């Protein structure tokens, strides 16, 4: 479809603010660093119930958020990114027949919840504000490029999640002493029976952590269809591959989950990225499963290519880490030569985005390279140099936004 027709079809002309700006200039929503093929094929498109997002693939749906969505620390549900591995996703009628089974060879009993209400009424409710970030966020910026969905900066979001603790449900089922992992599975599946189903697992120590929720609400609303309706797992601090959507089965297991998605995919070179909680049952000599996120930040305003006044402008963005919380964000307006501490916004807890802002003051005319660099309460700072790995994970090199001061 012709781009102009598509955008008109989406009704973008009627939207104000950042969306309208994004719609009129492709360079404002597509990172200049993405591979040419990705840049040529990506388009703004709307899934049911969503604002237009950047469509990277349609089957399965892989849509990233516009960078403008990170001007606020809480990401609205209708701007939240969507990522699926497999294309057979139940429709709402199918998902309304949801039920959850809990069992496994290392469970004392099995449990069955026939509705969300039954689950909700069985346990105390909890809330956590946490970043859901795809392991592959920024993969498209890997240099040299790597295979996979070529995400830019928007394969992430931060929301207030409400649900019951996984731990409380596991304790009700009874955890035997030989339990090693909790296996999780959702209601979506492959179109072809030869494609491996999306089976994942968590080590017992993370599964039993207080922050891990079986969530049925996101920012005070039911989960959107494509973000896991009616129930998903929320695993704060860990990349989103463990955040199982349409969660339908939980097994307490004495064995490591052997699926393709644990044993082969979603792995990083052993020891390349430090973690607090090792996933010992899935580690091998060469590689570890990707688990805890790395400290990172994104500049959401100004956008690459923007024109800014000599009197100066305010840099806005968000920073996050793997659950220690953000201690400081520094901003540079001279291509990383000098850095100034930014002002931090409201603290939404250690697993959440932390907003930051910095007023630049007067600037000389010409091109200006703006960067941000976050440091966590664990003393970790964003990497100076990309820790390249074959799947393009954990890219936390400070982003550079180039604007023109005029
Ligand atoms: N059932 C199911 N859950 C899933 C996936 C999936 O393909 N199927 N993908 C995982 C991955 S890799 C990511 S990045 C997140 C994306 O969450 P979102 O689509 O709500 O943004 O879902 C996770 N949970
Ligand atoms: Mo992901």
């Amino acid at each position: 479809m012709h781009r102009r027709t598509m955008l008109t079809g989406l009704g973008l002309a009627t939207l104000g603010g950042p969306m309208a700006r994004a719609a009129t200039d492709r360079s404002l929503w597509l990172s200049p660093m993405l591979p040419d093929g990705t840049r040529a094929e990506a388009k703004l498109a709307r899934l049911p119930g969503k604002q237009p997002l950047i469509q990277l693939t349609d089957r399965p749906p892989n849509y990233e958020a516009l960078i403008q969505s990170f001007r606020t620390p809480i990401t609205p549900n209708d701007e939240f990114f969507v990522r699926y591995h497999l294309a057979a996703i139940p429709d709402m009628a199918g998902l309304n027949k949801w039920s959850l089974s809990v069992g496994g060879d290392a469970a004392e009993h099995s449990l069955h919840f026939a509705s969300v209400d039954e689950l909700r009424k069985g346990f105390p409710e909890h809330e956590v504000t946490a970043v859901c970030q795809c392991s592959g966020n920024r993969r498209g910026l890997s240099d040299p490029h790597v295979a996979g969905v070529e995400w830019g900066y928007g394969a992430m979001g931060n929301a207030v999640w409400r649900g019951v603790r996984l731990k409380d449900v596991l304790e009700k089922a009874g955890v035997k002493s030989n339990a090693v992992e909790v296996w999780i599975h959702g209601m979506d599946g492959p179109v072809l029976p030869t494609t491996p189903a999306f089976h994942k697992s968590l080590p017992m120590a993370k599964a039993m952590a207080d922050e891990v929720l079986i969530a049925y609400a996101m920012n005070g609303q039911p989960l959107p269809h494509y973000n896991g309706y009616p129930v998903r797992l929320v695993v704060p601090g860990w990349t989103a591959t463990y955040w199982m959507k349409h969660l339908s089965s939980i097994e307490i297991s004495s064995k490591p989950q052997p699926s393709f998605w644990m044993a082969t995919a979603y792995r990083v070179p052993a020891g390349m990225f430090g973690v607090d909680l090792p996933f010992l049952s899935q580690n091998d000599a060469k590689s570890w499963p990707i688990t805890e996120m790395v400290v990172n930040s994104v500049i959401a305003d100004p956008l690459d290519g923007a024109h800014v006044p000599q009197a100066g402008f305010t840099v806005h963005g968000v920073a996050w880490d793997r659950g220690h919380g953000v201690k400081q964000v520094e901003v540079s307006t001279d291509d990383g030569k000098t850095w100034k501490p930014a002002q931090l916004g409201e603290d939404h807890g250690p697993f959440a985005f932390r907003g930051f802002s910095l007023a630049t003051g007067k600037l000389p005319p010409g091109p200006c390279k703006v960067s941000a660099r976050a440091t966590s309460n664990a003393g970790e700072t964003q990497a100076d140099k990309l820790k390249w790995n074959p799947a393009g994970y954990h890219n936390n090199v400070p982003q550079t936004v180039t604007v023109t001061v005029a």
Side-chain angles (χ1 to χ4, degrees):
M1 200 193 322
H2 192 264
R3 184 172 141 249
R4 178 139 208 105
T5 322
M6 184 191 82
L7 295 177
T8 314
L10 292 168
L12 287 174
T14 60
L15 294 170
M19 285 308 308
R21 279 168 65 190
T24 52
D25 187 348
R26 200 174 160 81
S27 68
L28 292 181
W29 52 265
L30 209 50
S31 168
M33 285 174 68
L34 291 175
D36 291 343
T38 306
R39 290 174 53 80
E41 274 167 39
K43 60 181 186 182
L44 287 184
R46 204 195 273 273
L47 285 168
K50 292 278 185 183
Q51 294 293 325
L53 299 173
I54 304 170
Q55 182 198 89
L56 296 172
T57 69
D58 191 33
R59 240 181 106 74
N62 284 302
Y63 288 66
E64 75 172 84
L66 297 166
I67 211 162
Q68 294 89 317
S69 293
F70 309 118
R71 289 178 181 177
T72 53
I74 304 292
T75 316
N77 291 2
D78 63 359
E79 295 176 29
F80 214 91
F81 83 109
V82 171
R83 197 272 185 268
Y84 279 93
H85 296 80
L86 308 168
I89 303 163
D91 61 14
M92 288 299 272
L95 292 168
N96 279 324
K97 299 197 187 95
W98 176 88
S99 72
L100 175 64
S101 65
V102 184
D105 75 327
E108 302 280 359
H109 337 273
S110 49
L111 309 172
H112 188 258
F113 301 93
S115 69
V116 176
D117 248 24
E118 205 178 302
L119 176 73
R120 195 162 59 94
K121 291 195 179 121
F123 306 92
E125 279 200 307
H126 293 276
E127 248 182 26
V128 67
T129 306
V131 176
C132 175
Q133 180 183 211
C134 181
S135 310
N137 194 25
R138 306 191 180 187
R139 174 185 289 131
L141 314 178
S142 267
D143 184 13
H145 285 309
V146 296
V149 179
E150 302 289 345
W151 300 106
Y153 292 98
M156 61 171 193
N158 179 53
V160 182
W161 309 95
R162 191 168 72 237
V164 301
R165 282 189 176 140
L166 175 59
K167 171 189 175 178
D168 290 346
V169 173
L170 297 177
E171 278 175 353
K172 181 149 190 208
V175 179
K176 289 189 185 166
S177 60
N178 64 341
V180 176
E181 292 185 358
V182 170
W183 294 7
I184 46 180
H185 190 46
M187 290 169 76
D188 48 322
V191 177
L192 299 173
T194 46
T195 311
F198 191 63
H199 289 282
K200 297 289 295 186
S201 65
L202 289 173
M204 286 317 298
K206 186 67 179 178
M208 297 296 280
D210 284 350
E211 69 271 14
V212 177
L213 300 185
I214 303 177
Y216 37 73
M218 176 175 174
N219 296 328
Q221 298 294 319
L223 303 178
H225 183 177
Y226 291 104
N227 297 111
Y229 182 86
V231 162
R232 83 178 302 169
L233 206 63
V234 165
V235 189
W238 286 33
T239 67
T241 180
Y242 302 96
W243 296 46
M244 186 63 70
K245 300 191 277 189
H246 322 296
L247 177 70
S248 55
S249 130
I250 297 175
E251 289 173 76
I252 309 174
S253 175
S254 66
K255 289 186 275 310
Q257 165 59 254
S259 81
F260 169 82
W261 302 104
M262 291 303 301
T264 307
Y266 286 104
R267 300 186 68 93
V268 289
M272 186 178 264
F273 304 97
V275 295
D276 288 340
L277 197 162
F279 199 160
L280 294 176
S281 52
Q282 295 284 348
N283 284 0
D284 66 35
K286 281 204 177 129
S287 70
W288 297 353
I290 185 171
T291 56
E292 297 166 23
M293 295 186 284
V294 293
V295 63
N296 216 340
S297 63
V298 71
I299 295 169
D301 191 24
L303 299 174
D304 240 304
H307 286 248
V308 294
Q310 288 182 44
F313 59 97
T314 303
V315 181
H316 291 280
V318 293
W320 67 99
D321 84 319
R322 58 200 168 107
H324 295 283
V326 172
K327 182 174 165 199
Q328 133 171 299
V329 178
E330 299 157 287
V331 172
S332 171
T333 51
D334 56 9
D335 201 13
K337 286 186 208 61
T338 60
W339 298 85
K340 282 187 211 156
Q343 203 168 343
L344 296 183
E346 192 188 332
D347 186 353
H348 293 274
F351 298 106
F353 280 157
R354 189 81 190 259
F356 67 85
S357 61
L358 178 107
T360 63
K362 225 173 154 316
L363 291 163
C368 168
K369 288 188 187 292
V370 188
S371 295
R373 175 172 83 183
T375 300
S376 76
N377 289 320
E380 292 156 347
T381 299
Q382 289 181 237
D384 295 329
K385 205 174 148 281
L386 180 68
K387 291 187 185 175
W388 189 93
N389 59 91
Y393 295 150
H394 285 332
N395 181 344
N396 68 341
V397 175
Q399 167 200 15
T400 301
V401 171
T402 306
V403 297
T404 304
V405 181

